[in-house]
Amino acid sequence: MTSQLPRLYRKGIPPNLGIVHLGLGAFFRSHGALVIENAMSDAGGDWGILGVSLKSPLTRNKLALQGNLYTAVQMNPESQIPRIVEVLNDVLFAPEDPTELVSRLSDPMVRIVSLTITEKGYCHVPSTGELNIQHKDIQNDIHNTEPISALGYLVRALAIRRANGCRPFTVLSCDNLPNNGKVARNVVVGLAELIDPSLAYWINKEGRFPSTMVDRIVPATTQHDIQRLAALTGKIDEAPVFHEPFLQWVIEDDFVDGQRPYFENTLGVKMVKDVTLFEHMKVRMLNGAHSSLAYLGYLAGYQTIAETVKDPLFTKFILKLWNQEIIPTLTAPEGIKLHAYGNDLLDRFSNPAIRHRTWQIAMDGSQKLPQRIVATIVDNLDVGRPCHGLTLALAAWMRYVGGTDDRGDRIEVKDPLASKLLELSNSGLEPRAKVANLLSIEEIFPIKIAERLHENVTAAYSNLVEKGARGSLETVTELL
């Protein structure tokens, strides 16, 4: 019985604090935390991490029982490789004591604040990358010193550091946003401007917001995973993470006073002057493909990406999508062959050990679509290139947020705009009206873009209603 096994516990002293990470989910604990621990192992340095949960105390509570240790498990197709991760210095649940987090962020020892707060955590307008001033959390953080948003914590702590004569920390975004550093700068400086314009000037002048590209597939951990790990290791870990073998982190080398871990010899890390080409490649080829497979696969009845691409029709679709609609919009980073990168992605998607749920990837589509799919469609339209595949993926998202799959079963849609999306979909009686209603959401589809998309998306949506996801895919794959 696993309940009789000993619990994972810490024996050594945690590393000294150097980084605060906001958004301590499975991805960062499978990616950034491992890289930072590897860098310290290779080259030393005080870069212990204070992890911060912003929405739920569950991760904090589980890790606290284990001295903030956890197991990261590399999921190879036919084997599992567990590793105990010791880099976490402490973990906080922010809403429990906002003042404590602001104080910790104000500590001069903190030189980097990294973020995996998901697209919606930036409280921005997805179509422009600018701060959404009307966002309820931003309105709170303008008028109250106890923040709610991640941005509010950053701005309030930076204000204290400035008042104390302390240098700002580097804000290191690790979210799947094009120009994520620029977006982070826009929203942090934008909020500071509404609180204290002189603070905004100081942050913009002295702060650093390097863009990064992160890549590792990390499925959600299940209770079954926890039980299997206990049987494998002989110890109970209530907060493990599971990840694919592949890891990549491309980082712009632009940090306050050059203060950062020594990443130069760290496996999977590439320090660059400009991350843009890597970022576009990954967001469009991996994330755009993931979202396309998630919506179409879910509608067709598939639970995971591996199951979806096991279907030859979906494999054919995604290869044509890359080769004919996505790769032509990209410039390859130096040393990268984009077609080979696509083949490698397909191998990663096919890993049967990674149960990456289509429903999980489909979450928060309103925040993801502009950069993952819509921007690529527009680039194709600009040069007169047909874009049937991505248009079908966009129509599949519209069908998905309507709350019913191809079998007529209810979909639990997780999205910050879920109720609005459902209302707009339901208020249209036929495909043309439904598409028009959803395209009217300007924070996703600026008016000029919506006008260009309407006819093609309506046709794709009509095919989905008539033929279902598989039938529509058969038609579109022949056109690609």
Side-chain angles (χ1 to χ4, degrees), residues 258-441:
Q259 292 288 301
R260 62 167 174 81
Y262 186 80
F263 287 129
E264 275 70 4
N265 297 325
T266 308
L267 185 66
V269 180
K270 187 177 183 67
M271 304 302 298
V272 299
K273 183 177 181 180
D274 186 350
V275 80
T276 302
L277 295 183
F278 291 94
E279 191 176 69
H280 285 175
M281 175 186 74
K282 190 260 180 171
V283 168
R284 293 190 177 194
M285 290 191 69
L286 191 155
N287 299 119
H290 248 174
S291 290
S292 299
L293 290 169
Y295 295 117
L296 288 162
Y298 189 99
L299 291 174
Y302 290 116
Q303 293 189 10
T304 70
I305 293 296
E307 292 171 357
T308 305
V309 296
K310 190 177 179 180
D311 183 331
L313 176 61
F314 279 87
T315 298
K316 183 178 180 181
F317 167 73
I318 210 66
L319 286 172
K320 287 194 171 185
L321 194 71
W322 282 324
N323 294 336
Q324 298 184 29
E325 296 188 7
I326 297 178
I327 288 176
T329 71
L330 299 172
T331 299
E334 184 178 356
I336 300 291
K337 295 184 183 301
L338 294 176
H339 292 281
Y341 178 70
N343 291 333
D344 290 342
L345 285 177
L346 185 58
D347 287 341
R348 293 167 60 193
F349 290 174
S350 303
N351 184 345
I354 300 294
R355 290 190 55 78
H356 206 182
R357 295 176 63 198
T358 52
W359 180 83
Q360 180 189 358
I361 297 165
M363 293 170 62
D364 301 334
S366 67
Q367 311 298 296
K368 300 172 179 176
L369 286 174
Q371 58 271 14
R372 293 189 178 195
I373 292 177
V374 175
T376 314
I377 294 175
V378 171
D379 282 354
N380 280 296
L381 293 176
D382 285 344
V383 296
R385 186 185 300 116
C387 201
H388 302 294
L390 288 171
T391 300
L392 177 63
L394 179 55
W397 168 76
M398 293 184 173
R399 181 88 161 136
Y400 180 91
V401 299
T404 305
D405 67 15
D406 284 357
R407 298 174 303 282
D409 294 333
R410 178 180 173 274
I411 301 172
E412 183 187 1
V413 177
K414 291 287 187 180
D415 193 290
L417 300 181
S419 58
K420 180 177 182 179
L421 295 169
L422 182 61
E423 180 183 352
L424 288 170
S425 178
N426 287 344
S427 63
L429 298 180
E430 39 81 33
R432 177 170 292 274
K434 289 179 182 290
V435 169
N437 289 346
L438 291 166
L439 286 174
S440 71
I441 306 175

Side-chain angles (χ1 to χ4, degrees), residues 241-253:
V241 290
F242 298 80
H243 58 78
E244 67 168 332
F246 182 88
L247 181 147
Q248 189 175 29
W249 197 1
V250 185
I251 307 171
E252 290 180 348
D253 199 359

Side-chain angles (χ1 to χ4, degrees), residues 155-216:
V155 170
R156 293 298 177 181
L158 285 165
I160 293 173
R161 292 173 78 106
R162 174 175 174 246
N164 292 342
C166 177
R167 296 288 287 154
F169 43 67
T170 295
V171 177
L172 187 67
S173 173
C174 306
D175 286 293
N176 286 318
L177 288 165
N179 301 307
N180 53 16
K182 180 180 179 180
V183 173
R185 180 186 288 273
N186 285 347
V187 294
V188 170
V189 173
L191 177 57
E193 182 73 33
L194 298 170
I195 295 172
D196 178 353
S198 65
L199 173 63
Y201 177 83
W202 179 78
I203 294 171
N204 199 38
K205 180 174 184 291
E206 301 295 335
R208 295 293 181 270
F209 297 79
S211 288
T212 77
M213 185 272 271
V214 296
D215 191 0
R216 171 163 269 185

Side-chain angles (χ1 to χ4, degrees), residues 107-128:
D107 185 340
M109 285 297 294
V110 173
R111 286 147 286 165
I112 297 173
V113 179
S114 51
L115 312 174
T116 50
I117 54 178
T118 75
E119 292 90 342
K120 62 187 176 185
Y122 290 79
C123 303
H124 70 308
V125 179
S127 60
T128 66

